Amino acid sequence: MRTFTIMGPPHAGKSALVEALAGLEGGRGNTLATMGGAGVSSFRFMGDDWAAFDIPGGLEFLPQAGPALAASDAAVLCVPAEAGAAVLSAPYLRLLEAAGLPTIIFVNGIDAMTDRVSDVIAALQTYSAHGIILRQVPMREGDRVVGSIDLISERAWEYHEGERSSLVELPAEMRAREEEARAEMMETLADFDDHLLEEIIEDQRPPTEELYDVARRALQHHDLLEALLGSARHGNGVLRLMKSLRHDVPGVEALRDRLALPDGALALGCMADNLKHIGKAVVIRALGPGVAAGARVGGDTIGTLDDIDARTQLPALAPGQIGLTIKSDHISLGGVLTADGRVDLPDWATAHPPALRRLVVPDNERDENKLPAALARLAEIDRGLTVAQSAASGHLEIGVHGPQHEKRVIDKLAEGFGIAVSCAPVPTALRETIRKGVEKHHRHRKQSGGAGQFADVLIDIAPLPEGGGFAFDDVVKGGAVPKNYIPSVEAGAREALAEGPQGHPVVDVRVTLKDGKAHSVDSSDFAFRTAGKNAVREALSELGTVTLQPIMQVSVHVPSAFAGDLVQVVSGLKGQVQGFEPHPDAAGWDIFRALLPMAAEEDLAHALGSATRGTAWFTSELDHYQPV
């Protein structure tokens, strides 16, 4: 079995293309739709078994692409037949470049194409470090595209609605355009084959089979990306695409070198879901010697192996075959599975950081104990979901890639685990500080029968420079405060600073214990801790505090065409633009840097969606705090 991933921007026709490919021989095999909208379909074509992973368009779904691409032999990038829409494909081209995967670009919807196909390819080339070769040119009657001409075989194919194309004579008026495009294609291929270069220099006509062979090797080695034309909705060009996959795509053995698989690699986790009445199910692709039911994989024995219909049990998976592991909770998504554990996939297969953070609270108190385990199970099947506990509130906090992703998580908790939840934005982590110092005396005395409590402290509290955090020292002389009680005073000071007068942690403060008194019987660690805490609280109340907001260092990964538009976006969010520069590893991309209040990060995520047509994302880290 060979596998490929179909991906591309929203509304490019990816699902229609999967259906058209799977139905070429009249019957579609099994299908599985997973939580995130991604799916996998199996089918047969010319006696071979195939599986296609279908990744929905949009950055919210991109985290699902990494594991699928890692387990694929090739990728099909489905793009609209519009030059102006090429930028929408930039995130996918960037990921495919990093993956080094043999890639075929399918320009979909050419029946409605108004732009020149060469302009579409040139626009896509902006975002690809590797060359893109056009393998076909459209054949037109007036303004209508009625077929295509293969540049290697020089055969013309006429399209028919819902039927296979027919071979026709190459129109005389297309001969000059075909020869020009063919010459460009051969010159590009010649960069990767010395013999072909010699033939071109000597003005010889290379054999067709030689051109096919050079193109196949360039595709398999990811030296070039090739572009084909068609319309999935009308069934045009789909057979040509499938034949290219059949002839040019390598088998599962090529994964070893591409992913630098470790010795003993048995399988790859591709997709996952929590299926009703079944539980956790992970789609795996077998490597090496294959995988049998009951074998030791991922550190434990696996349970049932099913076909992707989740009904048909399989005794084993042959190398390259995909199947579902059932009742095998230890099997994880997005890793290389060995007998004893798993090895992480390369960095390119890891999801970029979530755009939104949400506090998750169960609607019913009885679900509080169930929610952590349920979210942990979801994180195992959703590579884009992060789960943590909020240090401020103690509630569970999730990271999601957008509103649709958030809704999918909420729906899955309700449907799969019976837990209804409410989500709210994570409050900004505000801080407090002081601008001047004060000396404060506090005596803690309590006598209510039995052992009493006594502690007397004199502290000095003063501001530290920005970023100074907390410092404590003592200048007590003559043992007025016994040394064993001094750490208790510090602990009390820390406790008081954990929540200032305005309800936020107090930072950039130095507390100095200057003097005090102790009682030989009634003094204790608890008494001095209480005295230190109260002294600091009284000092803060007297001084007053200034509220600080976190300022984040934000790095926006954005197609260069939109970088200039972000200046106004960041300025409108009260941020400070620091500049932008070309991305060192991604063609056609910039890294836009700015300082931005943490409170504006969610607004930035929403603004990027409209300002960059859903192509950009950002990372952030704390830079400093400043007064609100």
Side-chain angles (χ1 to χ4, degrees):
M1 174 179 276
R2 281 180 288 178
T3 68
F4 58 94
T5 296
I6 292 185
M7 59 193 305
H11 313 299
K14 298 176 294 298
S15 296
L17 182 57
V18 172
E19 291 180 5
L21 291 169
L24 278 172
E25 295 196 342
R28 186 169 178 177
N30 295 320
T31 63
L32 175 71
T34 64
M35 167 190 169
V40 56
S41 299
S42 63
F43 59 96
R44 288 183 65 79
F45 179 73
M46 297 184 70
D48 297 327
D49 290 323
W50 289 86
F53 297 111
D54 181 7
I55 307 297
L59 288 183
E60 292 193 35
F61 299 94
L62 202 57
Q64 301 177 63
L69 289 172
S72 294
D73 302 313
V76 175
L77 178 60
C78 185
V79 303
E82 305 171 34
V87 67
L88 303 180
S89 301
Y92 309 97
L93 280 166
R94 175 173 173 173
L95 179 56
L96 292 170
E97 284 282 317
L101 193 65
T103 299
I104 298 174
I105 297 173
F106 185 75
V107 182
N108 195 17
I110 65 164
D111 53 304
M113 173 182 279
T114 56
D115 295 332
R116 288 171 53 89
V117 68
S118 57
D119 292 337
V120 174
I121 300 304
L124 291 168
Q125 184 66 71
T126 303
Y127 306 103
S128 175
H130 292 79
I132 301 174
I133 59 167
L134 187 61
R135 287 283 302 268
Q136 297 170 299
V137 291
M139 188 167 61
R140 298 177 183 267
E141 284 185 2
D143 293 333
R144 288 191 314 120
V145 175
V146 297
S148 64
I149 302 169
D150 187 281
L151 295 179
I152 291 183
S153 67
E154 295 189 281
R155 291 179 173 181
W157 299 89
E158 186 176 63
Y159 294 147
H160 302 291
E161 179 67 29
E163 298 179 3
R164 294 191 176 186
S165 304
S166 59
L167 182 64
V168 297
E169 185 176 350
L170 198 157
E173 65 272 17
M174 288 292 302
R175 175 63 66 179
R177 170 69 182 115
E178 183 272 334
E179 289 180 351
E180 177 187 4
R182 190 173 197 267
E184 292 177 3
M185 179 195 69
M186 288 196 301
E187 288 177 4
T188 303
L189 290 174
D191 291 337
F192 306 97
D193 188 89
D194 291 341
H195 185 260
L196 178 59
L197 178 61
E198 291 176 5
E199 290 177 313
I200 292 175
I201 292 174
E202 294 172 2
D203 207 20
Q204 299 179 20
R205 188 172 184 80
T208 298
E209 286 305 315
E210 179 184 355
L211 288 178
Y212 275 127
D213 182 62
V214 174
R216 179 173 60 253
R217 284 188 280 110
L219 177 70
Q220 291 185 353
H221 297 160
H222 195 61
D223 294 325
L224 292 170
L225 286 67
E226 65 178 41
L228 299 175
L229 313 176
S231 174
R233 186 163 58 95
H234 298 288
N236 302 147
V238 177
L239 179 62
R240 178 67 186 86
L241 169 62
M242 195 64 224
K243 285 186 174 180
S244 285
L245 290 168
R246 183 173 183 269
H247 290 296
D248 298 343
V249 169
V252 66
E253 63 280 355
L255 284 178
R256 180 166 299 279
D257 292 334
R258 182 164 59 83
L259 295 178
L261 293 177
D263 293 336
L266 296 176
L268 282 163
C270 318
M271 287 182 175
D273 202 352
N274 196 77
L275 302 179
K276 196 170 184 179
H277 307 307
I278 293 178
K280 180 181 176 182
V282 180
V283 180
I284 65 170
R285 189 179 191 205
L287 306 170
V291 175
R296 183 177 176 83
V297 179
D300 202 348
T301 56
I302 58 175
T304 307
L305 276 177
D306 281 13
D307 203 343
I308 58 172
D309 61 2
R311 294 189 301 271
T312 307
Q313 289 195 10
L314 303 173
L317 299 178
Q321 188 178 2
I322 65 169
L324 278 176
T325 59
I326 308 294
K327 299 178 182 176
S328 303
D329 287 349
H330 68 286
I331 297 296
S332 56
L333 172 65
V336 181
L337 301 170
T338 64
D340 297 322
R342 60 165 276 174
V343 179
D344 288 339
L345 292 174
D347 289 344
W348 61 260
T350 303
H352 55 77
L356 306 177
R357 296 182 303 138
R358 292 287 184 265
L359 291 178
V360 184
V361 180
D363 292 347
N364 196 312
E365 290 185 5
R366 70 171 181 268
D367 292 329
E368 285 187 358
N369 294 330
K370 295 164 53 179
L371 182 59
L375 283 173
R377 293 290 296 271
L378 286 186
E380 291 176 359
I381 64 174
D382 185 345
R383 295 271 291 178
L385 176 66
T386 62
V387 182
Q389 189 168 31
S390 171
S393 67
H395 291 307
L396 288 170
E397 178 183 313
I398 61 172
V400 293
H401 287 260
Q404 294 181 67
H405 190 192
E406 179 183 347
K407 184 178 184 302
R408 293 199 305 271
V409 172
I410 293 173
D411 290 346
K412 195 67 174 181
L413 285 171
E415 296 168 7
F417 299 91
I419 302 174
V421 300
S422 298
C423 291
V426 176
T428 302
L430 299 176
R431 298 289 185 265
E432 301 174 37
T433 194
I434 56 176
R435 289 292 186 244
K436 58 184 179 179
V438 70
E439 189 176 84
K440 180 60 61 175
H441 170 260
H442 182 83
R443 174 172 291 181
H444 175 67
R445 176 185 291 171
K446 187 175 182 182
Q447 189 72 44
S448 57
Q453 296 180 26
F454 179 84
D456 189 292
V457 296
L458 177 66
I459 65 163
D460 180 82
I461 184 169
L464 285 174
E466 181 182 301
F470 170 74
F472 180 87
D473 55 20
D474 74 276
V475 292
V476 177
K477 296 180 180 178
V481 178
K483 287 188 177 296
N484 57 305
Y485 293 143
I486 292 176
S488 299
V489 178
E490 179 181 353
R494 289 182 180 274
E495 188 175 341
L497 294 174
E499 184 176 325
Q502 301 181 63
H504 312 297
V506 183
V507 297
D508 302 338
V509 170
R510 176 187 296 278
V511 175
T512 303
L513 177 61
K514 300 180 70 175
D515 200 359
K517 293 180 181 178
H519 188 276
S520 59
V521 176
D522 293 340
S523 289
S524 64
D525 287 327
F526 177 78
F528 273 96
R529 179 171 182 154
T530 302
K533 177 174 66 177
N534 290 339
V536 171
R537 283 181 172 174
E538 291 170 6
L540 293 176
S541 180
E542 179 179 326
L543 289 170
T545 56
V546 176
T547 303
L548 303 175
Q549 65 174 334
I551 303 299
M552 311 301 289
Q553 171 71 61
V554 175
S555 298
V556 184
H557 294 250
V558 57
S560 303
F562 298 127
D565 298 335
L566 296 189
V567 174
Q568 185 175 356
V569 170
V570 170
S571 299
L573 296 174
K574 299 182 180 179
Q576 177 185 341
V577 175
Q578 295 181 307
F580 54 91
E581 67 275 350
H583 195 289
D585 303 315
W589 286 76
D590 285 347
I591 299 179
F592 185 100
R593 305 188 192 280
L595 294 175
L596 191 74
M598 177 186 281
E601 283 192 323
E602 182 162 338
D603 291 334
L604 174 64
H606 294 308
L608 287 179
S610 56
T612 71
R613 300 177 69 182
T615 57
W617 69 88
F618 68 92
T619 61
S620 66
E621 59 183 9
L622 180 64
D623 188 82
H624 66 279
Y625 280 87
Q626 71 180 30
V628 174

